[in-house]
Amino acid sequence: MRIVDCHVHVYPPEVIRDWERIAESEPYFGMLARGKVHRWATADDVIAQMDADGIAQSLIFGFSFSDLALCKLCNDYVIRAVKEHPDRFKGMAVVPPLVKGAVKEIERCREEGLIGVGEIFPQGQDFDITDPRETWRLAAACYEMNMFVMIHTAEPVGHDYPGKGNVGPKEAAAFCLNHPEVKVIFAHFGGGLWIYEMMPEMKLALKNAYYDTAAAPFLYGPTIFKAIEAAGLAGKFLYGSDYPILSLERYKRLLAQLNMSDDFLKSIFGCNFEKFAASD
């Protein structure tokens, strides 16, 4: 089975080296970097883990800072990594969506071969994804440049944790209702947004919405995958590990508790993302 991981964080060595200094002016980044589950990974670390886990390809991205210059540093690193490993990596750009120059940076990254924008941190970047006055530039740029967006979302109930944030299914749905033309991956199961695809009007509104599985072992029991299959939504879920926080082995142990069909596993672990990316 060809495995594609669509949620992989990479950090330039400069960010890893200077993270404490950067955190002084980037409080959201600092909160995550000081978290007990946080890990650092360079592009070389990702390749080594992919080889160990048998992962064919990863979608990599830097950290979505509030500072555009730091985002550019991350983007340059991702661009280089994709060019060095074109068969193993696809890349996304990070930008602070409301900062002057963000659209120009998205355009530069598209010209350099990156295929999406994200992972956007609405709370960390003070970005209201429900307000079209704030989202229209990002949405228009991605639509015009044939790129998708990845947005951090979280479940509105349950335990708190660093970076959980306050953007859940209601906010994610508003983004789709305002920008139905934009393809978007909502990280972390969309905070549960997928459940509402069983409502006919929301299924239509969420036509271009997809969901990744990042952090599943921390958030859900294995039966969530049975629920996704029963809802007929297997085609809209993409395997994302949230590496380096988690790797494939944790997901294998989670899914080993179930008897999922080969077709379901193939869809989640590779086929869906390849179809999703091929349509860009």
Side-chain angles (χ1 to χ4, degrees), residues 30-69:
M31 174 187 64
L32 294 178
R34 295 185 182 97
K36 65 180 181 180
V37 301
H38 179 77
R39 302 288 186 273
W40 302 107
T42 64
D44 288 342
D45 294 327
V46 175
I47 288 291
Q49 190 67 48
M50 290 170 66
D51 289 344
D53 289 342
I55 294 174
Q57 191 173 68
S58 289
L59 178 64
I60 61 172
F61 43 90
F63 192 89
S64 291
F65 290 102
S66 296
D67 183 342
L68 182 58

Side-chain angles (χ1 to χ4, degrees), residues 92-113:
M92 293 200 298
V94 288
V95 295
L98 299 180
V99 171
K100 184 178 180 180
V103 170
K104 185 176 181 181
E105 176 63 5
I106 293 171
E107 182 176 11
R108 179 183 78 91
C109 290
R110 182 55 165 160
E111 290 172 352
E112 292 286 357

